Amino acid sequence: MHDSPVGGGRHLGVFCGSRDGNDDGVHALARELASAMVAADMGLVYGGAGIGVMGTLADAVLEAGGTAVGVVPVGLFSSEVPHGYLTELVEVPDMQARKRAMYERSDAFCALPGGFGTLEELFEAATWTQLGLHGSHKPVVLLDRNGFWSGLDEFLDRLVSDGFVRPESRGIVSRVTSVAEVLAVLDR
Ligand code: AMP
């Protein structure tokens, strides 16, 4: 895995809910992921918000002494309040630029539970990996909690069996059930 353009070490791009969801366990999982990332000297790249699961994750990374880089589209949405204490706040003009900046600064990706934005980002990142647009192989790991990603994982198998995804591309997106497995996938 190559060095990220930001700082020296590796960076994980995390996609996750801008809302809290109904399961406190998701926030506990976000905190667990944050601790493991900091222990592995892996920086966070994310959408820059201080709300929802995103906020929990960034807070936990910073509290553990880690690096959190937020990428925010300037003035696009009044609802998007950037996190106030990030290591680095990258301001971009629009959503496309945001995703490109997040992809460039990440060595791999992880999705925690979230909504439309989370799904959109993880699939675009996976598509770029499939097309070789990232410049290096950047896998997407779905970190599960309570089977949140099970249905999607089954559907991805269907994409292969129906002939729309090549079997060798299926592994670009994988579901794991522990934080340790997220880090293990990134070390492969
Ligand atoms: P969602 O899953 O719909 O809550 O969207 C979350 C994902 O989309 C995050 O990974 C962000 O990069 C982006 N996003 C969507 N809404 C916001 C928001 N209000 N503030 C910051 N990022 C957001």
Side-chain angles (χ1 to χ4, degrees), residues 136-155:
S136 64
H137 183 78
K138 298 186 179 181
V140 179
V141 184
L142 310 176
L143 178 53
D144 210 344
R145 149 111 193 135
N146 270 345
F148 183 87
W149 294 118
S150 299
L152 181 65
D153 199 41
E154 280 175 27
F155 187 64

Side-chain angles (χ1 to χ4, degrees), residues 15-19 47 49 51 54 80 98 114-118 121:
F15 312 128
C16 58
S18 59
R19 301 174 64 94
I51 53 175
M54 299 172 73
E80 286 207 13
R98 166 196 246 171
F116 287 148
T118 300
E121 290 169 342

Side-chain angles (χ1 to χ4, degrees), residues 3-188:
D3 279 353
S4 152
V6 198
R10 297 175 305 167
H11 286 76
L12 182 64
V14 181
F15 312 128
C16 58
S18 59
R19 301 174 64 94
D20 284 329
N22 301 323
D23 177 3
D24 289 344
V26 170
H27 292 261
L29 185 62
R31 284 190 284 269
E32 192 187 334
L33 176 63
S35 303
M37 287 172 63
V38 175
D41 201 19
M42 187 176 287
L44 168 69
V45 175
Y46 84 119
I51 53 175
V53 182
M54 299 172 73
T56 298
L57 177 70
D59 284 346
V61 166
L62 293 167
E63 278 161 23
T67 299
V69 178
V71 185
V72 293
V74 182
L76 200 60
F77 310 107
S78 54
S79 63
E80 286 207 13
V81 182
H83 191 292
Y85 305 98
L86 295 174
T87 314
E88 185 185 354
L89 188 66
V90 180
E91 296 185 329
V92 292
D94 54 43
M95 290 296 270
Q96 274 67 33
R98 166 196 246 171
K99 288 186 289 180
R100 183 179 290 273
M102 286 173 69
Y103 303 158
E104 283 173 357
R105 287 161 179 267
S106 303
D107 295 289
F109 308 99
C110 176
L112 283 162
F116 287 148
T118 300
L119 292 175
E120 195 260 334
E121 290 169 342
L122 84 86
F123 278 118
E124 188 177 75
T127 306
W128 281 41
T129 300
Q130 182 174 249
L131 294 173
L133 298 179
H134 291 303
S136 64
H137 183 78
K138 298 186 179 181
V140 179
V141 184
L142 310 176
L143 178 53
D144 210 344
R145 149 111 193 135
N146 270 345
F148 183 87
W149 294 118
S150 299
L152 181 65
D153 199 41
E154 280 175 27
F155 187 64
L156 295 181
D157 289 337
R158 165 96 191 239
L159 298 185
V160 176
S161 59
D162 279 20
F164 291 111
V165 170
R166 284 178 290 138
E168 57 270 34
S169 296
R170 173 65 177 87
I172 293 171
V173 182
S174 60
R175 183 180 74 99
V176 302
T177 54
S178 71
V179 164
E181 289 170 281
V182 176
L183 300 190
V185 168
L186 304 188
D187 281 332
R188 278 211 299 252

